[in-house]
């Protein structure tokens, strides 16, 4: 099997121990210490917890010796947040003009399937979120402008990711649209390849200011609408945005806090096809209003535990 | 009006009111539907009787919320630290049925120099003595009758008279010294102490007898303590025919004041009022250390059933008879082994939420269904056993119950199969109560006041607000996370991770110590970061530290067996504590506005203005 094919198989089935052993042999042939690391970690997992000490010491020594070399394969803008057998699995890149290049370099690392794009302190030091008291009565809140070159998002190759996080990065509705374009441009028409529909499992867009229209753009993209876990705190979403959420039909975890949904938004939420499958729903009474809270308390399609919570607030 | 209800209760309790007046008072109580004023010992309490809060008991006043404490009566001048509270009998459980009053202070200066003299063996294992004691001690004991602390006994159906229970280590210690000197040497083998819990009984001529019975022995498995002798200390003298009848032993017809009677607890006995005059006596036990004492699981099961049926008798009075029978059988079994019981025994079929089950206080049968987990069965068993409060109502009061008498348990699987299975205590993911705080904005400072720097401020990302939020979360988590059962408003939910099934046992994981949770958000003209941390909800955390629950599966039933008493002497159970679940609230319009009314009284301002104008003139 070609190395690239083996790597793709392992990205898709990271629990396939036999394939990892096959991969370990290939690594060892190339003099890559991660081959030994794979064998050590698998051996440790087979041992009872009380007898893992020696294996863990060996692993720690091996990682200590080689980690810098392994990380040197990544661009300097990348911080490794999670690893799998020494390979970067989740990476954080701080947004800058060079970020798109850095991200595309990160995506060449064989096992990165989770990416976090984060603002630097300068971008994040002055929240711009909605200020409804500046609006005239009855006037719709304006959508925030992005604090970055949102068009650059369209150039990112995010096709193989299962988790994408952009927390506190002000991409705005334009940025959300650019992400959708990125997915569209790189979509595999067959739907079976790396950019196949439904691969993305978790999407974190908290405080991104995407608004209803941005969310609608993402919902139109099969690449994003297959997500099961969605963080959408403080995105200026209204009932209209919640209706766009209906296209995320596999959702099981949803965080909609700090969006002024009101009763209409809750009604839209309860009409969503995923409402009966939600295991985790985070909202505050301030987001739903008293009427919305009552609707959640009596929504028989929600899990009983969530319903009980809303009956108590 | 409520003050009147409170004070008239004690006036009428003196027994001098006419039947008409008493009936009029009861009608007024039945028409009063006031809610609880406070919670003490996990019981909702009112300071006056109402349709719901009808059962009077006494508690140390400083355990009542200070805000309402002064509303509660202190009917005993000699024990002014005891307040009278009225409770809902439906909320009582075995932990709260008995009201044991702390009266040690009455004997602080008077519990010494006790001597038991004139020993007479009136029957095998039965002795009478005369108690000699200093004047102050005698006066303290004689004063017990006038404390005004009598409450109707729990087993009023099988006995006459009034009773209150008190605890005094000092009195017990003085009696222990006297007993150790007065008992025949062979009887002292293993003698440990006199039980410091005393029952003070009062009978008036004409009261019903205390029917023939065996005293339930005191038992503490952990310490190897068991009682063997009953102690009766008569505080008043009198005659009867007889006053005390020990079956197969002696019959005492004349009792002098301060006579002490000790008898083997194997004696079945009956007490009668004096022919003339008030009979007041204390009852307690001689406790012995007996390392050889074992625990027969069947006796434990029977005792568990007895306690349960006592609680259920509030709903089905006919069960009191069964409970008394069980207590009696337990007492006999302690000495002679467990004898066969009657052919039929009582079961209670209950429906809680959507769950039907059958219980007798030791065994709990649930239908095996896809919707009902073992953890839920265990949670329901515990909530029933401890009669947990769910919102404003006790568990048992929330159940639809019916008593079923049957010869055996074979009918139960079929009975439960016919009833629809459901779920009433759903699993709950506690992490929903504690979302991770957002990442704070670097170097963002709280505005100095509500006039400056509020624009653009995001409370959810303010470092100072988040610090307050985390602190409040940690306090709430300390209560909520270890609790196997949570009370959310009027509903109970369970944490599946706190119910560990191992073999045929369900281990319910709790914690041993509880601390109250206090988190207060403040609101004022100025503000602090804590102002933006609100309470999303208040969660009741039911903490339980209990022995494992045994279970078997057969014929489509989960059969759970729970014997709290077998291991309970070192185990504890505490009623739920309240945890306030914090939430960061966003800025509201009111945060920006200066409310003049908070600072100026318009009339006052006008007056001051006018005065100034006058001065100028």
């Amino acid at each position: 099997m070609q190395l690239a094919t083996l790597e793709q198989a392992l990205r898709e089935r990271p629990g396939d121990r036999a394939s990892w052993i096959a991969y370990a042999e290939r690594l060892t042939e190339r003099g890559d210490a991660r081959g030994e690391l794979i064998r050590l970690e698998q051996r440790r997992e087979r041992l009872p917890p009380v007898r893992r000490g020696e294996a863990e010491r060996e692993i720690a020594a091996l990682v200590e010796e080689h980690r810098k070399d392994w990380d040197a394969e990544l661009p300097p803008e990348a911080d490794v947040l999670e690893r799998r057998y020494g390979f970067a699995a989740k990476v954080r890149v701080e947004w800058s003009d060079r970020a798109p290049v850095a991200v595309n370099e990160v995506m060449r690392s064989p096992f990165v399937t989770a990416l976090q794009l984060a603002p630097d302190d300068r971008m994040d030091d002055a929240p711009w979120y909605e200020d409804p008291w500046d609006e005239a009565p009855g006037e719709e809140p304006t959508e925030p402008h992005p604090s970055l070159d949102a068009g650059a998002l369209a150039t990112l190759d995010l096709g193989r990711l299962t988790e994408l996080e952009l927390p506190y990065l002000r991409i705005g509705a334009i940025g959300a649209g650019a992400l959708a374009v990125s997915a569209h441009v790189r979509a595999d028409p067959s739907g079976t390849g790396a950019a196949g529909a439904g691969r993305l499992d978790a999407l974190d867009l908290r405080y991104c200011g995407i608004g209803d229209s941005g969310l609608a753009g993402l919902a139109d993209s099969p690449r994003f609408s297959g997500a099961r876990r969605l963080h959408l705190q403080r995105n200026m979403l209204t009932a209209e945005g919640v209706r766009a959420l209906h296209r995320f039909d596999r959702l099981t975890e949803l965080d909609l806090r700090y969006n002024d949904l009101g009763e209409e938004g809750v009604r839209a939420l309860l009409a969503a096809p995923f409402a009966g499958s939600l295991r985790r729903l985070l909202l505050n009474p301030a987001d739903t209003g008293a009427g919305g809270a009552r609707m959640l308390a009596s929504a028989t399609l929600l899990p009983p535990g969530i319903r009980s919570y809303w009956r108590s607030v | 009006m409520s003050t009147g209800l409170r004070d008239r209760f004690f006036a009428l309790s003196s027994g001098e009111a006419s039947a008409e007046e008493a009936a009029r008072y009861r009608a007024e109580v039945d028409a009063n539907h006031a809610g609880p004023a406070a919670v003490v010992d996990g019981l909702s309490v009112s300071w006056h009787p109402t349709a719901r809060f009808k059962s009077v008991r006494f508690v140390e006043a400083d355990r009542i919320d200070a805000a309402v404490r002064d509303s509660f009566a202190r009917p005993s001048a000699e024990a002014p630290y005891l307040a009278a509270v009225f409770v809902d009998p439906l909320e009582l459980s075995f932990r709260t049925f008995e009201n044991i009053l702390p009266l040690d202070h009455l004997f602080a200066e008077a519990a010494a120099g006790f001597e038991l003299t004139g020993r007479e063996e009136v029957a095998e294992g039965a002795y009478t003595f005369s108690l000699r004691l200093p004047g102050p001690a005698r006066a303290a004991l004689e004063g017990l009758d006038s404390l005004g602390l009598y409450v109707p006994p729990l087993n009023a159906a099988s006995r006459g008279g009034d009773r209150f229970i008190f605890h005094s280590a000092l009195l017990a210690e003085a009696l222990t010294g006297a007993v150790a000197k007065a008992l025949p040497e062979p009887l002292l083998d293993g003698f440990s102490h006199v039980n410091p819990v005393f029952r003070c009984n009062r009978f008036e001529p004409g009261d019903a007898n205390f029917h023939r019975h065996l005293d339930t022995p005191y038992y503490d498995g952990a310490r190897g303590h068991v009682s063997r002798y009953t102690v009766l200390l008569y505080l008043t003298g009198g005659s009867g025919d007889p006053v005390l009848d020990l079956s197969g032993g002696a019959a005492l017809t004349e009792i002098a004041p301060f006579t002490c009677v000790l008898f083997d607890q194997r004696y079945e006995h009956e007490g009668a009022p004096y022919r003339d005059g008030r009979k007041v006596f204390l009852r307690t036990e001689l406790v012995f250390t007996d390392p050889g004492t074992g625990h027969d699981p069947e006796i434990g099961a029977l005792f568990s059933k007895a306690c349960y049926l006592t609680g259920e008798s509030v709903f089905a009075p006919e069960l009191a008879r069964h409970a008394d029978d069980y207590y009696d059988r337990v007492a006999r079994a302690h000495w002679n082994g467990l004898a066969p019981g009657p052919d039929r025994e009582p079961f209670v079929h209950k429906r809680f939420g959507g769950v039907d089950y059958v219980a007798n206080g030791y065994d709990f049968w649930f239908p095996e269904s896809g919707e009902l987990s073992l953890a839920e069965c265990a949670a329901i068993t515990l909530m029933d056993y401890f009669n947990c409060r769910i919102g404003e109502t006790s568990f048992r009061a929330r159940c639809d119950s019916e008593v079923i008498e049957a010869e055996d348990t074979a009918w139960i699987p079929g009975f439960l199969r016919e009833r629809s299975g459901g779920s009433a205590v759903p699993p709950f993911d506690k992490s929903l109560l504690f979302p991770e705080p957002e990442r704070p904005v670097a170097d963002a400072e709280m505005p100095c006041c509500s006039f400056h720097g509020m624009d653009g401020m995001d409370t959810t990302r303010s470092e100072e607000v988040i610090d307050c939020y985390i602190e409040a979360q940690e306090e709430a988590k300390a209560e909520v996370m270890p609790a196997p059962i949570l009370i959310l408003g009027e509903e109970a939910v369970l944490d599946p991770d706190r119910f560990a099934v191992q073999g045929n046992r369900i281990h319910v994981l709790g914690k041993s110590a509880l601390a109250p949770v206090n988190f207060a958000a403040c609101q004022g003209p100025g503000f602090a970061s804590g102002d933006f941390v609100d309470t999303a909800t208040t969660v009741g955390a039911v903490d339980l530290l209990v022995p494992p629950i045994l279970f078997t599966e057969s014929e489509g039933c989960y059969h759970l067996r729970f014997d709290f008493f077998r291991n309970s002497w070192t185990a504890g159970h505490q009623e739920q504590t309240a945890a306030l679940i914090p939430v960061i609230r966003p800025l509201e319009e009111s945060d920006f506005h200066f409310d003049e009314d908070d600072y100026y009284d318009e009339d006052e301002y006008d007056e001051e203005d006018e005065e100034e104008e006058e001065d100028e003139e």
Side-chain angles (χ1 to χ4, degrees):
Chain A
M1 189 185 288
Q2 291 288 322
L3 198 63
T5 311
L6 187 54
E7 287 168 346
Q8 183 179 329
L10 284 170
R11 281 197 299 272
E12 291 170 358
R13 292 186 301 279
D16 182 349
R17 297 165 66 93
S19 293
W20 277 111
I21 290 297
Y23 189 62
E25 287 168 8
R26 305 284 284 272
L27 292 173
T28 304
E29 285 168 15
R30 294 192 322 194
D32 190 327
R34 285 174 289 201
E36 177 61 11
L37 185 61
I38 291 169
R39 278 188 285 271
L40 279 173
E41 290 202 13
Q42 293 211 353
R43 195 177 80 201
R44 178 189 58 181
E45 287 162 22
R46 286 194 298 270
L47 293 171
V50 290
R51 294 179 51 207
R52 289 180 181 172
E54 189 182 339
E56 280 170 357
R57 280 189 292 278
E58 277 186 70
I59 290 167
L62 195 66
V63 170
E64 178 66 23
E65 184 183 351
H66 296 283
R67 187 173 53 202
K68 277 188 182 168
D69 293 338
W70 296 337
D71 288 353
E73 296 167 0
L74 295 167
E77 293 86 353
D79 291 322
V80 180
L81 301 179
E82 290 173 17
R83 296 171 194 275
R84 183 175 298 125
Y85 299 123
F87 292 96
K90 181 172 182 177
V91 170
R92 177 181 188 273
V93 174
E94 199 168 84
W95 190 263
S96 67
D97 292 343
R98 231 193 75 78
V101 175
V103 167
N104 289 334
E105 283 178 31
V106 164
M107 287 299 136
R108 286 199 281 275
S109 183
F111 298 109
V112 172
T113 54
L115 175 70
Q116 184 182 96
L117 291 175
D120 62 19
D121 288 345
R122 183 183 50 78
M123 296 165 75
D124 197 29
D125 64 358
W128 42 269
Y129 311 110
E130 74 269 49
D131 185 2
W133 301 287
D134 284 348
E135 309 290 341
E139 188 179 332
E140 292 297 317
T142 52
E143 288 180 349
H145 296 291
S147 63
L148 48 78
D149 173 12
L153 293 168
T155 68
L156 302 179
D157 180 3
L158 308 173
R160 77 147 81 120
L161 294 179
T162 57
E163 291 179 33
L164 176 61
E165 300 174 359
L166 290 82
Y168 316 111
L169 190 63
R170 305 170 208 171
I171 64 171
I174 300 170
L179 283 175
V181 168
S182 153
H184 177 71
V185 167
R186 297 171 188 279
D188 175 351
S190 71
T192 57
R199 286 280 312 273
L200 196 76
D201 188 64
L203 182 59
D204 186 342
L205 294 174
R206 70 183 77 183
Y207 294 71
C208 286
I210 62 173
D212 292 337
S213 61
L215 183 58
L218 290 169
D220 281 338
S221 164
R223 177 75 184 84
F224 290 98
S225 63
R228 279 191 281 250
R229 292 177 286 149
L230 203 47
H231 280 274
L232 290 170
Q233 296 99 298
R234 200 180 284 290
N235 267 298
M236 301 178 66
L237 300 178
T238 67
E240 187 184 336
V242 178
R243 279 189 282 275
L245 268 180
H246 287 202
R247 277 163 277 177
F248 289 79
D249 57 0
R250 298 170 66 202
L251 276 183
T252 57
E253 297 183 22
L254 179 59
D255 192 337
L256 279 170
R257 287 175 296 156
Y258 317 129
N259 291 293
D260 190 11
L261 303 185
E263 196 172 327
E264 191 188 344
V266 173
R267 187 174 293 110
L269 179 65
L270 294 174
F274 55 77
S277 308
L278 281 177
R279 287 185 286 109
R280 190 173 177 80
L281 172 64
L282 290 174
L283 269 170
N284 289 328
D287 309 318
T288 65
R294 279 194 298 274
M295 291 169 69
L296 290 166
S298 57
T300 51
L301 79 170
L302 288 178
I306 294 179
R307 218 164 52 230
S308 296
Y309 170 77
W310 282 96
R311 284 185 190 145
S312 75
V313 298
Chain B
M1 174 175 170
S2 299
T3 310
L5 278 181
R6 179 193 69 188
D7 297 339
R8 280 165 63 206
F9 175 86
F10 297 104
L12 291 168
S13 297
S14 65
E16 290 165 9
S18 67
E20 280 176 24
E21 194 179 344
R24 198 161 50 243
Y25 178 75
R26 277 195 292 271
E28 284 180 41
V29 168
D30 286 337
N32 189 304
H33 296 283
V39 174
V40 180
D41 290 338
L43 295 172
S44 304
V45 300
S46 167
W47 46 274
H48 58 85
T50 71
R52 174 182 166 193
F53 301 104
K54 278 186 173 165
S55 181
V56 68
R57 58 198 286 124
F58 298 91
V59 301
E60 287 165 285
D62 59 9
R63 294 169 62 210
I64 300 173
D65 184 354
V68 293
R69 189 180 300 154
D70 289 343
S71 298
F72 290 81
R74 315 277 182 103
S76 176
E78 291 77 11
Y81 58 92
L82 293 177
V85 302
F86 294 86
V87 303
D88 179 354
L90 301 186
E91 287 190 16
L92 295 174
S93 72
F94 75 85
R95 294 171 299 109
T96 45
F97 274 132
E98 302 291 18
N99 183 193
I100 301 174
L101 308 176
L103 294 185
D104 223 14
H105 79 288
L106 294 178
F107 303 97
E109 308 291 330
F114 283 27
E115 192 181 356
L116 290 170
T117 61
R119 185 180 79 208
E120 186 182 345
E121 185 169 13
V122 293
E124 186 182 354
Y127 302 86
T128 61
F129 302 86
S130 179
L131 177 65
R132 285 190 184 169
L133 70 173
R138 188 181 182 100
L141 284 168
E142 285 173 335
L144 288 171
D145 182 42
S146 57
L147 290 177
L149 299 174
Y150 288 105
V151 292
L154 197 62
N155 50 345
S158 61
R159 57 160 294 174
D162 297 317
R163 186 187 76 179
F164 69 92
I165 305 176
F166 68 93
H167 181 283
S168 173
L170 292 172
L171 178 59
E173 192 179 325
L175 283 168
T176 298
V179 167
K181 287 179 185 165
L183 268 188
E185 190 63 32
L187 270 61
L188 284 171
D189 185 24
F191 172 61
S192 172
H193 61 277
V194 171
N195 186 355
V197 175
F198 296 85
R199 288 153 174 78
C200 182
N201 295 278
R202 177 175 69 186
F203 286 77
E204 301 289 359
D207 278 351
N209 281 8
F210 198 143
H211 293 146
R212 193 163 296 282
H213 65 285
L214 282 168
D215 287 334
T216 299
Y218 170 88
Y219 177 71
D220 180 342
R223 294 184 175 85
H225 283 166
V226 63
S227 69
R228 289 190 190 146
Y229 288 84
T230 289
V231 179
L232 301 181
L233 177 58
Y234 292 89
L235 304 181
T236 59
S239 58
D241 191 22
V243 175
L244 175 65
D245 184 10
L246 302 176
S247 297
L252 306 180
T253 54
E254 296 289 335
I255 298 284
F258 286 86
T259 295
C260 181
V261 180
L262 270 61
F263 60 86
D264 192 313
Q265 291 193 302
R266 277 173 276 207
Y267 276 114
E268 203 170 22
H269 56 284
E270 179 165 4
Y274 292 151
R275 207 171 288 125
D276 301 301
R278 177 175 286 181
K279 176 183 172 187
V280 181
F281 67 98
L282 305 184
R283 177 171 86 77
T284 186
E285 299 90 16
L286 300 187
V287 178
F288 290 76
T289 303
D290 187 352
T293 301
H295 183 86
D296 180 342
E298 287 192 45
I299 298 175
L302 199 59
F303 188 67
S304 210
K305 292 178 192 177
C307 293
Y308 185 78
L309 293 186
T310 300
E312 288 300 315
S313 68
V314 174
F315 303 91
E318 71 271 23
L319 290 174
R321 174 175 56 85
H322 291 284
D324 284 343
D325 176 55
Y326 282 178
Y327 285 124
D328 220 40
R329 285 178 60 205
V330 167
R332 287 176 205 281
H334 188 74
W335 310 113
N336 307 313
L338 198 57
D343 291 341
R344 296 170 71 79
E345 61 175 316
F347 299 86
V348 186
H349 162 224
K350 294 192 175 187
R351 184 175 175 81
F352 174 70
V355 177
D356 284 275
Y357 65 102
V358 174
N360 62 11
Y362 173 71
D363 306 276
F364 295 77
W365 291 268
F366 295 86
E368 258 187 294
S369 76
E371 288 186 70
L372 196 59
S373 68
L374 261 175
E376 187 171 351
C377 297
I380 291 173
T381 296
L382 294 174
M383 287 195 293
D384 188 356
Y385 199 87
F386 295 110
N387 197 19
C388 291
R389 203 153 47 90
I390 302 175
E392 291 297 313
T393 316
S394 67
F395 177 89
R396 290 177 185 167
R398 285 176 176 271
C399 292
D400 295 325
S401 305
E402 62 169 329
V403 176
I404 298 172
E405 290 195 24
E407 290 176 3
D408 55 30
T409 60
W411 57 279
I412 294 173
F415 178 85
L416 290 175
R417 252 196 314 274
E418 288 170 10
R419 278 144 186 87
S420 57
S423 176
V425 189
F428 184 74
D429 176 3
K430 288 172 179 166
S431 72
L432 286 174
L433 300 173
F434 304 109
E436 289 290 318
E438 301 298 339
R439 195 177 74 201
V441 175
D443 301 327
E445 288 183 7
M446 287 287 287
C448 60
C449 67
S450 54
F451 290 123
H452 304 103
M454 296 282 277
D455 288 349
M457 176 190 169
D458 181 0
T459 56
T460 65
R461 296 198 62 197
S462 156
E463 188 160 12
E464 290 179 49
V465 175
I466 287 171
D467 285 347
C468 289
Y469 177 62
I470 292 171
E471 190 180 332
Q473 273 196 333
E474 291 305 318
E475 287 186 29
K477 279 181 184 177
E479 298 304 321
V480 169
M481 297 313 283
I485 300 167
L486 295 182
I487 306 300
L488 294 176
E490 297 291 315
E491 293 176 35
V493 296
L494 65 86
D495 179 351
D497 293 340
R498 308 301 290 174
F499 292 83
V501 179
Q502 193 175 45
N504 69 337
R505 288 163 182 254
I506 306 168
H507 298 272
V508 183
L509 311 177
K511 63 170 185 171
S512 55
L514 290 172
V517 180
N518 290 303
F519 176 79
C522 53
Q523 290 276 24
F527 64 84
S529 45
D531 295 351
F532 299 102
V533 181
D534 249 338
T535 298
T537 186
T538 301
V539 172
V542 180
D543 186 56
L544 299 155
L545 193 63
V546 295
I549 301 171
L550 305 176
F551 79 95
T552 52
E553 290 177 73
S554 67
E555 297 184 68
C557 271
Y558 291 123
H559 176 191
L560 278 64
R561 282 166 291 150
F562 181 56
D563 181 2
F564 180 66
F565 293 98
R566 185 179 51 178
N567 296 313
S568 67
W569 304 103
T570 52
H573 164 263
Q574 187 156 346
E575 191 55 75
Q576 62 190 267
T577 50
L580 307 181
I581 306 302
V583 61
I584 297 181
R585 68 168 179 81
L587 281 174
E588 294 167 355
E589 197 163 0
S590 58
D591 292 317
F592 290 83
H593 290 281
F594 183 73
D595 188 348
E596 291 186 355
D597 290 342
D598 285 348
Y599 293 87
Y600 298 109
D601 179 296
E602 202 171 298
D603 296 335
E604 188 180 310
Y605 178 78
D606 289 345
E607 283 166 18
E608 285 173 2
D609 214 25
E610 284 165 14
E611 282 169 15
E612 281 175 17
E613 285 168 10
E614 283 169 13
D615 289 346
E616 283 171 14
E617 284 171 8

